[in-house]
Amino acid sequence: MISEKLINSRIWIPPVAVFFLGIISANGQTTKAKKDTLQAKEIDEVVVVAYGKAKRTSYTGSVATISSDKINNRPVNNITKALEGQVAGLQAVSSSGQPGSVASVRIRGIGSVSASSDPLYVIDGIPFDGNINTISPNDIESISVLKDASASALYGSRGANGVILVTTKSGKKGESRINFNMSQGFSSRAVKDYKQVSTDQYFQLYWEALRNGYQSNLISAQQAGQMATDNLINALGINPYGANYSKPVGTDGKLLAGAKPLWNDNWADVLQRVASRNQVDLDFSGGSEKSNYYFSLGYLDDKGIAIESGFKKYSTRLKINSEVKKWLNVGANLSYTNSIQLSPSSSDSSSDNIINVGRIIPSFYPYYERNADGSQKLDLNGNPIFDFGSYRPTSAFQNQNLAATLPLDKNENREDNFSGKGFLDFSFLPELKFKSSFSVDLVNYNGHYYTNPLLGQGAEIGGSVTKTNSRTFSYTTSNILTYDKKFGQHHFNALAGQEFYHYEYQTISGSRSQFSLPYYYEPAAASLLGGFTGSSDKLGLLSFLGKIEYDYQNKYFISGSVRSDGSSRFSPDNRWGTFWSVGGSWKASSENFIKDLNVFNQLTLRASYGGQGNDKLKTYYAYQSLYTFYNNLGEPGTVANKLPTPDLKWETNINLNVGLEFAILNNRIKGNVEYFKRESQDLLFEMPLAPSLGFTGFQANIGKLQNSGFEFSLFTTPVRTKYFEWNVDINLSTLSNTITKLPKGSIISGTKLLREGGSVYDFYLPTWVGVDPSNGKPLWKTIITDANGQTVEGTTSEIGKATREIQGSSLPKLVGGITTNLAYKNFDLSALLTFRIGGKVLDTDYTSILSGGNLPGRAWSEEMLNRWTPENRYTDVPALNTTTNNWTSASSRFLYSATYARLKNVSIGYTLPSDYFERLGLKKFRIYVQGENLLTFYKHKGMDPEQTLDGTTYYRYPAMRTVTFGIQATL
């Protein structure tokens, strides 16, 4: 029995004790059944599924549901970043912390190599083709994730990679309500950057690199040391120790006594900041017997931690449903969003990457000009003067200062998103209904990129400007006929329908340079035309679909569905693909012999099998020849850049799912276990060709790919009393990704190798052996075959001679999340811990601060303090030298464990007693504080372990830790 003293104490109870607590509290005497048990209706909840709704216990497919309370209060800009750790089998990876960015979502693994693996988003029953940023988390009622063929096959090729169904809020019958939510937050880096050496350490280390570079058979160590002392300042371009120490490092490699740097300018301090986040949401809703409405307004201003970055959004939604006749329901759902994303370069290796610059420039290079005594130089107005570093080596971003230029530049992405949906729902008979729907998604995008003509690199060309406009327009028509009838103990449900999807994309862009006046940003103000281009694409998809469901005694359920899709991507001969599913479930808990056990409140076994297609290639004209047009000395020229592939056909996903759902201990513990096997056949893949043929490759259907694994979800209520309730949810999923067939032995793709028996993200890299203790040179493994045909292993100091080997996969072995919710009287607390176990990350960001000395002025990691020296011969860091040895090239040396855990969200709230706010006409008033990405537990410090799915870092915008304070009020 759990005592009241224990409940009210501050003792922390580990999650592993949840099961025991659940058993103890369920069988103890502290609680009463009617207050301490979950109701049966919670077990048999209604979930949103393809083209309708279903009871969970009778549904033959695999579906997971996320309620609004797990989404609405999260400080995230879009729903993709709120999904991680919430659903077993779903992996959401935020590859960038840039405000307004979208997470990559994968359901049950990687379904394709060259075609898309993104899931389909369906909003209020209609496939959605707009920007996912337009859907305000505050407007969401629930999210259903369809994972197997039985659940998603009705969406055919569009649902080949799983389906995420989003249901937005509707008005409720009764009194009208007004909900108001306002929050203020502050953001900083979620993970501290790599540690770097100090100025003193850097100058001594670089002296050593110079000395080692000078030393040769003709130059002694003593002479080389003198040369290093004499040339150190000239090599780095600056002396932060002042004129009194013109040669701050002596011939012994030690800093002179009394020498101290006159400044220490951390560039991350001037290029990054503690950012603010402001959000306001207001909605009005209500309804009567025959109609309801929901209207919302939203505002978000999320400043990024990098200067001149951020995301601002204005959104509105209107949703109306009405019974105009007993036999006719009509409805409309309209939303509009205007967004502005300020996005300076932060996702590549370019010299203007604001995150990279803040890491690579050492602190002894000042960001403000300095006098001889180390004080800042001031202009006539008394302001410090930005230092552009003309004296800096090129490897330290010479002639650049983003702190000065970015406020004068523009990196804007503006979007207008409109989504409109309408439906007519006819009831010809109580059991026969027809629903006709039409939806439109329109996205208008404008990109404005401007470099000023006054300061920085843009000044060399008088400034430049590029403008891009694109328009995405799509619509979907859907006509669905349903028949639902009970005959005694038999229940029959049938669905038949037709759907058509049309997509259009147009883009146009141009650039100019040489502005005659500053502070004019438009192309019309520039004099020199740089380039102009434009293109358009179209896609059509016609579909016919049907489904039959049958159950007997509400215990035995079977279902079958079929959908035929015709895609304009393929030739007329291969245009149509037919996809299907069959499923069944058995509600064993309704059997008398199970009831007699007096153990299970629910026990359901389900299984499904089916196939779906995938046509999502990178081109809309997959089967046709494509051409590139050139200007050939003033004459137009045409060159073929894609071979025709008329035999190209659908990629097919065959899905098997077996699951067991249960509830025990008066529904105090619920859960489900599922096994899935997903095989992709006729993979759509880019087959490489020899460059001499004039083509890089061609599209073909080759090979097979398989994803399989187990999913485990557990929902528990360890404690429920009159004043206190504690819930803990756990989800786990495993994944095995295997290529089972390829047309040739293997295919090298960058740092990866595709081969039979391997995964799509297997690293293929030279094997790092270490450092030669005799001379400090890097060593990699070689494997050769001698004259006798024997395999011989050796080492080499030249990476070009090293042998590449499989080094593991980026894909994790286990992914999961733990959610806990506690409520005591008017206080509430919730927390979400996400984690992944297994997989590897190739950290190419880290290598940028690990050069051996051939990049003067480039920042160095603290790891360089452990470099090889005659006194430190056994180490993993080669000797310093100004001669390139390529030791930072991609190899197993820079593969790190991707295992991590992250305290994704914590929320603490207090709802004022009704006596305080009812006098003001309020129904509810809650204040809260919450944190996002509060703690990250991982091994390789400096790297954010939540990286892209392929496991390679690329100078990305770091994840943000956000602490938010807010209020929620209901009138």
Side-chain angles (χ1 to χ4, degrees):
M1 187 173 86
I2 300 177
S3 67
E4 292 292 330
K5 181 179 180 180
L6 175 60
I7 292 173
N8 295 317
S9 70
R10 297 184 179 180
I11 297 176
W12 177 74
I13 304 174
V16 295
V18 168
F19 308 104
F20 302 100
L21 287 171
I23 295 172
I24 293 172
S25 61
N27 295 301
Q29 300 177 3
T30 301
T31 57
K32 296 182 180 180
K34 72 175 185 177
K35 294 183 179 180
D36 196 30
T37 59
L38 302 177
Q39 299 299 318
K41 65 180 182 181
E42 296 180 17
I43 297 296
D44 204 14
E45 63 178 305
V46 175
V47 294
V48 179
V49 297
Y51 299 98
K53 296 180 180 180
K55 291 185 177 181
R56 179 179 293 278
T57 55
S58 63
Y59 192 56
T60 62
S62 177
V63 58
T65 302
I66 307 173
S67 58
S68 60
D69 60 327
K70 295 182 179 180
I71 304 168
N72 295 168
N73 299 329
R74 294 278 298 278
V76 293
N77 299 337
N78 61 72
I79 62 172
T80 62
K81 294 196 174 186
L83 294 175
E84 185 182 7
Q86 304 274 16
V87 175
L90 184 149
Q91 187 177 3
V93 177
S94 299
S95 58
S96 174
Q98 163 72 45
S101 63
V102 177
S104 298
V105 176
R106 296 292 181 267
I107 298 175
R108 291 187 167 177
I110 313 299
S112 183
V113 176
S114 293
S116 172
S117 292
D118 293 335
L120 171 69
Y121 292 90
V122 176
I123 313 300
D124 291 324
I126 303 294
F128 178 69
D129 215 26
N131 191 326
I132 203 68
N133 272 325
T134 63
I135 305 171
S136 173
N138 187 69
D139 287 343
I140 295 175
E141 182 68 34
S142 67
I143 295 178
S144 293
V145 180
L146 310 184
K147 297 184 284 187
D148 71 332
S150 184
S152 58
L154 271 185
Y155 291 108
S157 60
R158 302 183 75 178
N161 297 303
V163 181
I164 296 178
L165 300 175
V166 178
T167 302
T168 60
K169 294 177 180 177
S170 299
K172 304 292 192 298
K173 184 178 73 171
E175 185 178 1
S176 298
R177 290 200 170 194
I178 301 175
N179 293 302
F180 177 74
N181 184 5
M182 181 174 66
S183 63
Q184 169 71 59
F186 301 93
S187 303
S188 58
R189 289 184 69 114
V191 172
K192 291 183 178 180
D193 209 351
Y194 311 97
K195 291 184 179 180
Q196 299 184 9
V197 299
S198 66
T199 296
D200 290 349
Q201 292 168 335
Y202 192 102
F203 271 71
Q204 293 174 97
L205 288 172
Y206 203 76
W207 177 94
E208 185 178 316
L210 287 172
R211 184 203 61 187
N212 292 345
Y214 290 139
Q215 192 172 353
S216 66
N217 293 331
L218 302 177
I219 300 176
S220 66
Q222 184 177 1
Q223 290 175 308
Q226 184 64 58
M227 294 172 66
T229 296
D230 295 340
N231 295 323
L232 177 61
I233 298 302
N234 183 60
L236 296 177
I238 195 171
N239 183 3
Y241 297 96
N244 293 334
Y245 299 92
S246 58
K247 298 180 180 180
V249 179
T251 56
D252 60 352
K254 304 297 182 183
L255 204 66
L256 297 182
K260 293 183 179 180
L262 301 178
W263 61 82
N264 183 46
D265 286 359
N266 186 339
W267 281 76
D269 291 342
V270 73
L271 296 178
Q272 298 176 30
R273 62 193 176 186
V274 175
S276 64
R277 186 184 193 278
N278 302 293
Q279 183 172 356
V280 179
D281 292 296
L282 177 67
D283 65 71
F284 308 83
S285 63
S288 62
E289 291 290 340
K290 294 187 176 182
S291 64
N292 62 71
Y293 67 91
Y294 174 85
F295 175 66
S296 70
L297 296 168
Y299 167 77
L300 171 68
D301 185 6
D302 190 4
K303 298 286 196 303
I305 62 171
I307 63 171
E308 303 302 319
S309 69
F311 182 70
K312 186 177 290 187
K313 180 173 72 173
Y314 305 87
S315 61
T316 183
R317 178 179 296 274
L318 175 62
K319 187 175 182 181
I320 300 173
N321 297 285
S322 179
E323 180 186 322
V324 295
K325 297 289 184 180
K326 288 185 178 181
W327 48 269
L328 176 62
N329 288 330
V330 300
N333 191 346
L334 309 175
S335 67
Y336 170 75
T337 302
N338 172 266
S339 64
I340 305 172
Q341 184 187 51
L342 303 181
S343 179
S345 177
S346 60
S347 60
D348 55 36
S349 58
S350 64
S351 60
D352 61 346
N353 182 321
I354 189 170
I355 304 301
N356 200 30
V357 168
R359 175 185 298 136
I360 282 180
I361 303 180
S363 59
F364 56 80
Y365 291 121
Y367 37 77
Y368 295 118
E369 291 186 8
R370 299 283 177 166
N371 295 308
D373 61 357
S375 61
Q376 293 180 357
K377 288 184 179 180
L378 304 177
D379 61 18
L380 296 177
N381 296 319
N383 298 316
I385 303 171
F386 284 106
D387 190 333
F388 282 83
S390 59
Y391 53 83
R392 294 198 300 256
T394 56
S395 49
F397 297 127
Q398 189 180 64
N399 298 320
Q400 181 167 293
N401 191 321
L402 294 182
T405 58
L406 277 180
L408 301 176
D409 297 341
K410 277 188 178 292
N411 295 277
E412 288 186 354
N413 300 307
R414 293 176 176 263
E415 276 193 0
D416 293 285
N417 287 262
F418 172 77
S419 181
K421 302 175 178 64
F423 72 86
L424 300 172
D425 196 344
F426 299 88
S427 297
F428 300 116
L429 298 170
E431 61 272 12
L432 183 64
K433 296 183 179 181
F434 176 77
K435 186 175 183 178
S436 182
S437 306
F438 180 77
S439 71
V440 173
D441 292 306
L442 176 63
V443 181
N444 189 69
Y445 165 83
N446 280 280
H448 192 175
Y449 311 101
Y450 164 84
T451 57
N452 75 90
L454 299 175
L455 301 172
Q457 296 177 339
E460 300 175 3
I461 58 173
S464 65
V465 62
T466 298
K467 269 206 161 184
T468 299
N469 175 263
S470 67
R471 179 181 183 270
T472 302
F473 172 77
S474 64
Y475 66 83
T476 301
T477 63
S478 175
N479 298 287
I480 304 295
L481 182 68
T482 59
Y483 179 79
D484 190 278
K485 183 69 174 178
K486 282 189 175 182
F487 304 92
Q489 294 183 320
H490 305 271
H491 178 221
F492 179 81
N493 180 279
L495 177 152
Q498 170 270 332
E499 193 170 84
F500 178 70
Y501 167 69
H502 177 78
Y503 172 92
E504 293 181 9
Y505 175 79
Q506 300 171 339
T507 182
I508 189 171
S509 65
S511 61
R512 280 189 160 189
S513 60
Q514 295 188 5
F515 287 85
S516 58
L517 294 173
Y519 310 115
Y520 287 85
Y521 310 113
E522 299 297 334
S527 58
L528 181 63
L529 179 65
F532 178 78
T533 188
S535 63
S536 63
D537 290 303
K538 289 185 179 181
L539 173 68
L541 187 73
L542 178 61
S543 307
F544 299 93
L545 57 124
K547 180 181 71 171
I548 297 177
E549 294 178 337
Y550 168 78
D551 73 80
Y552 177 67
Q553 293 184 340
N554 197 33
K555 289 191 293 186
Y556 313 103
F557 306 86
I558 59 173
S559 68
S561 67
V562 63
R563 174 162 171 153
S564 186
D565 286 342
S567 172
S568 63
R569 294 183 194 264
F570 303 117
S571 69
D573 294 335
N574 296 313
R575 182 152 292 170
W576 288 90
T578 300
F579 314 108
W580 53 273
S581 75
V582 292
S585 64
W586 171 39
K587 194 187 296 185
S589 54
S590 297
E591 303 285 0
N592 290 331
F593 69 91
I594 297 295
K595 292 180 180 179
D596 293 341
L597 297 176
N598 201 27
V599 173
F600 295 100
N601 303 109
Q602 181 205 358
L603 185 64
T604 301
L605 178 67
R606 61 172 55 92
S608 67
Y609 187 72
Q612 296 163 277
N614 191 354
D615 69 338
K616 297 178 180 63
L617 287 161
K618 297 177 182 178
T619 174
Y620 296 96
Y621 312 100
Y623 71 97
Q624 300 181 31
S625 299
L626 297 181
Y627 301 87
T628 300
F629 301 95
Y630 292 95
N631 180 348
N632 185 17
L633 300 178
E635 297 294 328
T638 304
V639 177
N641 69 357
K642 180 185 174 298
L643 291 170
T645 52
D647 295 330
L648 201 66
K649 60 182 180 180
W650 289 87
E651 179 178 287
T652 304
N653 282 283
I654 303 297
N655 294 301
L656 168 69
N657 185 82
V658 179
L660 178 68
E661 191 167 351
F662 63 90
I664 59 176
L665 299 176
N666 294 323
N667 298 323
R668 297 290 296 277
I669 297 179
K670 302 183 295 181
N672 61 72
V673 181
E674 292 183 288
Y675 168 77
F676 69 90
K677 183 179 179 181
R678 176 186 178 195
E679 186 175 71
S680 301
Q681 302 177 350
D682 298 322
L683 287 175
L684 294 170
F685 191 78
E686 178 81 17
M687 284 291 293
L689 290 174
S692 59
L693 297 176
F695 299 91
T696 59
F698 66 95
Q699 298 286 344
N701 293 100
I702 62 166
K704 295 181 180 179
L705 174 66
Q706 180 178 290
N707 293 274
S708 61
F710 289 90
E711 297 171 358
F712 174 71
S713 300
L714 190 66
F715 311 94
T716 69
T717 305
V719 181
R720 175 178 282 183
T721 68
K722 181 178 180 180
Y723 297 114
F724 180 74
E725 181 175 329
W726 178 27
N727 298 300
V728 177
D729 301 341
I730 302 173
N731 69 81
L732 304 169
S733 58
T734 67
L735 175 65
S736 175
N737 175 273
T738 307
I739 298 173
T740 56
K741 182 181 178 181
L742 280 178
K744 51 190 294 187
S746 59
I747 300 173
I748 298 175
S749 178
T751 60
K752 308 295 191 304
L753 179 69
L754 301 175
R755 76 196 197 287
E756 291 185 7
S759 80
V760 296
Y761 291 142
D762 279 349
F763 287 104
Y764 188 57
L765 301 167
T767 300
W768 174 261
V769 175
V771 174
D772 190 334
S774 65
N775 55 26
K777 290 184 177 181
L779 294 176
W780 295 274
K781 182 179 177 180
T782 60
I783 303 175
I784 61 174
T785 303
D786 63 15
N788 299 320
Q790 300 295 317
T791 299
V792 180
E793 293 187 2
T795 59
T796 179
S797 292
E798 299 180 37
I799 193 168
K801 297 180 179 180
T803 304
R804 298 173 74 175
E805 296 182 280
I806 296 296
Q807 306 289 353
S809 173
S810 69
L811 297 175
K813 298 296 183 182
L814 181 69
V815 176
I818 301 174
T819 304
T820 185
N821 297 278
L822 297 98
Y824 176 68
K825 294 186 177 180
N826 291 345
F827 289 94
D828 60 87
L829 182 148
S830 65
L832 169 64
L833 178 75
T834 62
F835 57 89
R836 59 177 281 171
I837 298 174
K840 295 183 178 181
V841 174
L842 179 63
D843 192 356
T844 57
D845 289 6
Y846 189 40
T847 59
S848 66
I849 56 173
L850 288 176
S851 64
N854 59 303
L855 299 176
R858 178 67 61 91
W860 263 330
S861 163
E862 275 190 347
E863 190 173 350
M864 302 305 295
L865 297 174
N866 192 36
R867 82 282 180 203
W868 182 95
T869 65
E871 298 74 32
N872 184 38
R873 299 173 58 196
Y874 299 98
T875 178
D876 205 31
V877 182
L880 298 177
N881 201 303
T882 52
T883 302
T884 303
N885 58 17
N886 295 313
W887 84 278
T888 57
S889 299
S891 75
S892 63
R893 168 68 167 77
F894 303 107
L895 278 178
Y896 299 92
S897 171
T899 297
Y900 77 93
R902 173 165 276 169
L903 187 57
K904 200 71 177 177
N905 181 263
V906 174
S907 177
I908 303 174
Y910 178 74
T911 301
L912 271 65
S914 58
D915 294 343
Y916 288 93
F917 54 76
E918 281 186 345
R919 303 169 188 170
L920 302 176
L922 296 174
K923 293 184 174 64
K924 179 181 178 181
F925 189 86
R926 177 176 178 264
I927 57 177
Y928 64 91
V929 58
Q930 59 184 324
E932 191 83 2
N933 295 327
L934 288 178
L935 296 172
T936 305
F937 308 94
Y938 65 116
K939 186 175 181 181
H940 178 43
K941 300 302 181 182
M943 179 191 76
D944 190 332
E946 188 179 345
Q947 292 291 336
T948 55
L949 291 164
D950 68 357
T952 301
T953 66
Y954 201 60
Y955 313 103
R956 75 182 186 107
Y957 199 111
M960 294 195 296
R961 176 188 294 119
T962 303
V963 177
T964 304
F965 305 87
I967 60 171
Q968 295 173 323
T970 300
L971 286 76

